[in-house]
Amino acid sequence: RHLQDSAGIAARLPPRLEGRWVSTGCEVRPGPEFLIRSYLFYANRLFKALQFYYWDPSCRDPSYSLVIKGKLRLRQASWITRGATEADYHLHKVGIVFHSQKAMREVASWINQTSGEGCSGFLPPGRSWAPGALYEVLSAKTERDCTAALGFAMHELSLVRVERHYQPLLQPQQSGSQLVEELYLGDIHTDWGERLHYRPTGYQRPMQNALHHVHPCPACGIISRADEHHPPILPARAALPMQLSGSWVSTHCEVRPAVLFLTRYFTFHGNNHTWEGHYYHYSDPLCRQPTFTIYASGHYTQGIPSSKVRGGTELAFKVTQARVTPMDQVTVVMLNSSEPGSCGLAGSWSAGVEQDITPTNGCLALGIKLPHTEYELFKTEQDTQERSLLYIGERPTDGSSPDSPDKRPTSYQAPLIQCAAASQEFSNYISLKYVGRKDANGSKALKPLPVAFLLFIALLFLRWD
């Protein structure tokens, strides 16, 4: 479905940013940090960005707000991340508004302890909280910058993409569609120590145009009307139990740092705690040009509530088997050039043919090691249309694996949507391109269907249509 829907996505280069862009819900950044963003871009390249920070993952208990003012200049199309535009920004000033004495005391201690001489007396100890007071933490005019202690940087503005598509009207009595505009800004490094100077190559969760957003979006109006003195308080939502069983799929083409475009499809079997997943990799930001597919399977542990990320569940996943299907000639050449014994049968790779990499303990060329354990963070939610969403922990920005408990994610990737309940087994899924057969060893393999048969199927669909 996402490949069909991508045909309606338009991404203009360079993008038009004028107007207000808002988060569609409570966002989780590595740390964890819980926040909501509301950015206003003017036609003269100036911008005013509001970032609201919270103590809780529901964004109902505000801590402090940042007011960020500056100037943004769009440059050329990115040479690294296809479909993105590079940009330069300059900050004029950053102010902070505290929403409680606790927040004021905590932030002041961070700044006083970790900043240079110019910031050591940011707030005198014992100073009482003043509701609505705005304190300056960065000024280009005085060259004062006390933001490092907050882990604050606006490098997200250095990578920009705007997507436009049309959403069908939801009411049965209405026909037609409405415009939706989404703003993708650069990703935040998962390592707190790296985020201050990291230049993004992936994206965060997209913001949406305050006038042209997905409906329904109860949070959009609340966030649009908020200001630094009146942070948005999102509606209370009931916590959902972790129900993994069933099949889950990407809602759109996903972008990861180091320029990976992919879609994911998982099935979890709750009765025996096993899982299966397909990772479809592409070379373009709309996921139309496949490069290779990875199938992986294994088992997972019983989840326990996360002590570090409220609302999250900690699990451990063991990957015991994997298969790879190269889908273009570049990948075929790379795999055939790999060291013998490091990735399947040396020199035997060909496009569209799947090969088991379990006997070689993975594939060194693709960074896959078997068997392999990953320490994960999961969360389930329901969207405004009461569809089940699954959030899986964000991958480390440096390309490594969360293979130890201390590397467990503290933020999430783009959500997956449930496309089948527990009763529908993943093993019953049959691609139109492949059909199962047994190989010489008696194990199941995948074989391309004859072209004539595919044409026959296509003609049947045309006649039916």
mmCIF file of all heavy atoms in Angstrom, residues 389-410:
data_model
loop_
_atom_site.group_PDB
_atom_site.id
_atom_site.type_symbol
_atom_site.label_atom_id
_atom_site.label_comp_id
_atom_site.label_asym_id
_atom_site.label_seq_id
_atom_site.Cartn_x
_atom_site.Cartn_y
_atom_site.Cartn_z
ATOM 1 N N LEU A 389 -0.669 1.156 16.884
ATOM 2 C CA LEU A 389 0.661 1.542 16.422
ATOM 3 C C LEU A 389 1.710 0.881 17.309
ATOM 4 O O LEU A 389 1.520 0.741 18.515
ATOM 5 C CB LEU A 389 0.851 3.064 16.468
ATOM 6 C CG LEU A 389 -0.111 3.923 15.647
ATOM 7 C CD1 LEU A 389 0.196 5.390 15.865
ATOM 8 C CD2 LEU A 389 -0.020 3.580 14.165
ATOM 9 N N LEU A 390 2.814 0.494 16.711
ATOM 10 C CA LEU A 390 3.923 -0.101 17.451
ATOM 11 C C LEU A 390 5.187 0.731 17.218
ATOM 12 O O LEU A 390 5.602 0.932 16.073
ATOM 13 C CB LEU A 390 4.161 -1.542 16.990
ATOM 14 C CG LEU A 390 5.397 -2.243 17.571
ATOM 15 C CD1 LEU A 390 5.262 -2.417 19.081
ATOM 16 C CD2 LEU A 390 5.630 -3.590 16.893
ATOM 17 N N TYR A 391 5.774 1.210 18.315
ATOM 18 C CA TYR A 391 7.027 1.959 18.238
ATOM 19 C C TYR A 391 8.159 1.052 18.710
ATOM 20 O O TYR A 391 8.091 0.496 19.801
ATOM 21 C CB TYR A 391 6.973 3.195 19.129
ATOM 22 C CG TYR A 391 6.026 4.272 18.658
ATOM 23 C CD1 TYR A 391 4.664 4.203 18.940
ATOM 24 C CD2 TYR A 391 6.496 5.361 17.936
ATOM 25 C CE1 TYR A 391 3.792 5.193 18.515
ATOM 26 C CE2 TYR A 391 5.631 6.360 17.508
ATOM 27 C CZ TYR A 391 4.282 6.273 17.803
ATOM 28 O OH TYR A 391 3.426 7.257 17.382
ATOM 29 N N ILE A 392 9.189 0.919 17.873
ATOM 30 C CA ILE A 392 10.372 0.125 18.216
ATOM 31 C C ILE A 392 11.542 1.085 18.396
ATOM 32 O O ILE A 392 11.624 2.122 17.731
ATOM 33 C CB ILE A 392 10.678 -0.904 17.107
ATOM 34 C CG1 ILE A 392 9.490 -1.863 16.937
ATOM 35 C CG2 ILE A 392 11.946 -1.688 17.419
ATOM 36 C CD1 ILE A 392 9.670 -2.898 15.835
ATOM 37 N N GLY A 393 12.451 0.754 19.301
ATOM 38 C CA GLY A 393 13.549 1.640 19.660
ATOM 39 C C GLY A 393 14.347 2.157 18.481
ATOM 40 O O GLY A 393 14.595 1.456 17.500
ATOM 41 N N GLU A 394 14.775 3.406 18.600
ATOM 42 C CA GLU A 394 15.573 4.041 17.554
ATOM 43 C C GLU A 394 16.947 3.386 17.462
ATOM 44 O O GLU A 394 17.576 3.088 18.472
ATOM 45 C CB GLU A 394 15.720 5.532 17.881
ATOM 46 C CG GLU A 394 16.284 6.362 16.772
ATOM 47 C CD GLU A 394 16.211 7.847 17.061
ATOM 48 O OE1 GLU A 394 15.657 8.232 18.105
ATOM 49 O OE2 GLU A 394 16.730 8.624 16.251
ATOM 50 N N ARG A 395 17.424 3.177 16.246
ATOM 51 C CA ARG A 395 18.734 2.578 16.032
ATOM 52 C C ARG A 395 19.835 3.580 16.391
ATOM 53 O O ARG A 395 19.672 4.782 16.171
ATOM 54 C CB ARG A 395 18.906 2.152 14.579
ATOM 55 C CG ARG A 395 17.792 1.300 14.036
ATOM 56 C CD ARG A 395 17.676 -0.012 14.762
ATOM 57 N NE ARG A 395 18.875 -0.832 14.607
ATOM 58 C CZ ARG A 395 19.058 -1.999 15.207
ATOM 59 N NH1 ARG A 395 18.129 -2.469 16.031
ATOM 60 N NH2 ARG A 395 20.156 -2.695 15.013
ATOM 61 N N PRO A 396 20.967 3.115 16.934
ATOM 62 C CA PRO A 396 22.073 4.041 17.232
ATOM 63 C C PRO A 396 22.515 4.777 15.964
ATOM 64 O O PRO A 396 22.643 4.181 14.900
ATOM 65 C CB PRO A 396 23.183 3.114 17.747
ATOM 66 C CG PRO A 396 22.454 1.907 18.278
ATOM 67 C CD PRO A 396 21.259 1.736 17.385
ATOM 68 N N THR A 397 22.712 6.084 16.088
ATOM 69 C CA THR A 397 23.060 6.911 14.941
ATOM 70 C C THR A 397 24.375 6.491 14.306
ATOM 71 O O THR A 397 24.567 6.623 13.102
ATOM 72 C CB THR A 397 23.132 8.393 15.359
ATOM 73 O OG1 THR A 397 21.906 8.744 16.019
ATOM 74 C CG2 THR A 397 23.304 9.306 14.169
ATOM 75 N N ASP A 398 25.304 5.954 15.099
ATOM 76 C CA ASP A 398 26.618 5.590 14.564
ATOM 77 C C ASP A 398 26.613 4.275 13.786
ATOM 78 O O ASP A 398 27.657 3.807 13.329
ATOM 79 C CB ASP A 398 27.659 5.533 15.683
ATOM 80 C CG ASP A 398 27.354 4.470 16.734
ATOM 81 O OD1 ASP A 398 26.402 3.674 16.534
ATOM 82 O OD2 ASP A 398 28.051 4.441 17.761
ATOM 83 N N GLY A 399 25.434 3.668 13.624
ATOM 84 C CA GLY A 399 25.324 2.449 12.839
ATOM 85 C C GLY A 399 25.607 1.175 13.608
ATOM 86 O O GLY A 399 25.515 0.082 13.054
ATOM 87 N N SER A 400 25.924 1.299 14.901
ATOM 88 C CA SER A 400 26.186 0.111 15.711
ATOM 89 C C SER A 400 24.867 -0.560 16.097
ATOM 90 O O SER A 400 23.793 -0.130 15.687
ATOM 91 C CB SER A 400 26.987 0.481 16.958
ATOM 92 O OG SER A 400 26.225 1.343 17.798
ATOM 93 N N SER A 401 24.960 -1.614 16.896
ATOM 94 C CA SER A 401 23.780 -2.369 17.293
ATOM 95 C C SER A 401 23.576 -2.257 18.807
ATOM 96 O O SER A 401 24.553 -2.215 19.564
ATOM 97 C CB SER A 401 23.975 -3.833 16.900
ATOM 98 O OG SER A 401 22.941 -4.629 17.423
ATOM 99 N N PRO A 402 22.338 -2.210 19.281
ATOM 100 C CA PRO A 402 22.087 -2.195 20.734
ATOM 101 C C PRO A 402 22.278 -3.596 21.330
ATOM 102 O O PRO A 402 21.336 -4.231 21.793
ATOM 103 C CB PRO A 402 20.635 -1.718 20.841
ATOM 104 C CG PRO A 402 20.004 -2.172 19.564
ATOM 105 C CD PRO A 402 21.083 -2.116 18.517
ATOM 106 N N ASP A 403 23.532 -4.078 21.298
ATOM 107 C CA ASP A 403 23.818 -5.462 21.662
ATOM 108 C C ASP A 403 24.199 -5.650 23.124
ATOM 109 O O ASP A 403 24.700 -6.698 23.519
ATOM 110 C CB ASP A 403 24.909 -6.031 20.756
ATOM 111 C CG ASP A 403 26.154 -5.149 20.719
ATOM 112 O OD1 ASP A 403 26.233 -4.190 21.507
ATOM 113 O OD2 ASP A 403 27.043 -5.409 19.889
ATOM 114 N N SER A 404 23.994 -4.627 23.944
ATOM 115 C CA SER A 404 24.214 -4.740 25.388
ATOM 116 C C SER A 404 23.172 -3.873 26.096
ATOM 117 O O SER A 404 22.660 -2.907 25.501
ATOM 118 C CB SER A 404 25.631 -4.297 25.761
ATOM 119 O OG SER A 404 25.837 -2.942 25.408
ATOM 120 N N PRO A 405 22.829 -4.201 27.338
ATOM 121 C CA PRO A 405 21.774 -3.448 28.027
ATOM 122 C C PRO A 405 22.039 -1.948 28.092
ATOM 123 O O PRO A 405 21.101 -1.139 28.031
ATOM 124 C CB PRO A 405 21.756 -4.076 29.425
ATOM 125 C CG PRO A 405 22.256 -5.474 29.218
ATOM 126 C CD PRO A 405 23.276 -5.359 28.125
ATOM 127 N N ASP A 406 23.312 -1.531 28.198
ATOM 128 C CA ASP A 406 23.604 -0.094 28.291
ATOM 129 C C ASP A 406 23.410 0.628 26.959
ATOM 130 O O ASP A 406 23.394 1.860 26.915
ATOM 131 C CB ASP A 406 25.038 0.131 28.792
ATOM 132 C CG ASP A 406 26.076 -0.475 27.860
ATOM 133 O OD1 ASP A 406 26.007 -1.685 27.602
ATOM 134 O OD2 ASP A 406 26.936 0.276 27.371
ATOM 135 N N LYS A 407 23.241 -0.134 25.861
ATOM 136 C CA LYS A 407 22.981 0.479 24.558
ATOM 137 C C LYS A 407 21.494 0.475 24.209
ATOM 138 O O LYS A 407 21.123 0.831 23.096
ATOM 139 C CB LYS A 407 23.752 -0.274 23.462
ATOM 140 C CG LYS A 407 25.237 0.009 23.439
ATOM 141 C CD LYS A 407 25.830 -0.659 22.196
ATOM 142 C CE LYS A 407 27.296 -0.320 22.028
ATOM 143 N NZ LYS A 407 27.844 -0.949 20.800
ATOM 144 N N ARG A 408 20.675 0.062 25.138
ATOM 145 C CA ARG A 408 19.229 -0.004 24.870
ATOM 146 C C ARG A 408 18.710 1.383 24.486
ATOM 147 O O ARG A 408 19.057 2.383 25.118
ATOM 148 C CB ARG A 408 18.495 -0.517 26.109
ATOM 149 C CG ARG A 408 17.048 -0.921 25.820
ATOM 150 C CD ARG A 408 16.301 -1.267 27.105
ATOM 151 N NE ARG A 408 16.881 -2.373 27.832
ATOM 152 C CZ ARG A 408 16.605 -3.661 27.615
ATOM 153 N NH1 ARG A 408 15.747 -3.987 26.661
ATOM 154 N NH2 ARG A 408 17.192 -4.595 28.336
ATOM 155 N N PRO A 409 17.884 1.483 23.447
ATOM 156 C CA PRO A 409 17.398 2.794 22.992
ATOM 157 C C PRO A 409 16.599 3.525 24.067
ATOM 158 O O PRO A 409 15.988 2.910 24.945
ATOM 159 C CB PRO A 409 16.503 2.455 21.795
ATOM 160 C CG PRO A 409 16.881 1.073 21.391
ATOM 161 C CD PRO A 409 17.358 0.378 22.622
ATOM 162 N N THR A 410 16.603 4.860 23.965
ATOM 163 C CA THR A 410 15.765 5.691 24.842
ATOM 164 C C THR A 410 14.800 6.546 24.024
ATOM 165 O O THR A 410 14.199 7.481 24.542
ATOM 166 C CB THR A 410 16.646 6.598 25.723
ATOM 167 O OG1 THR A 410 17.509 7.377 24.880
ATOM 168 C CG2 THR A 410 17.488 5.783 26.690
#
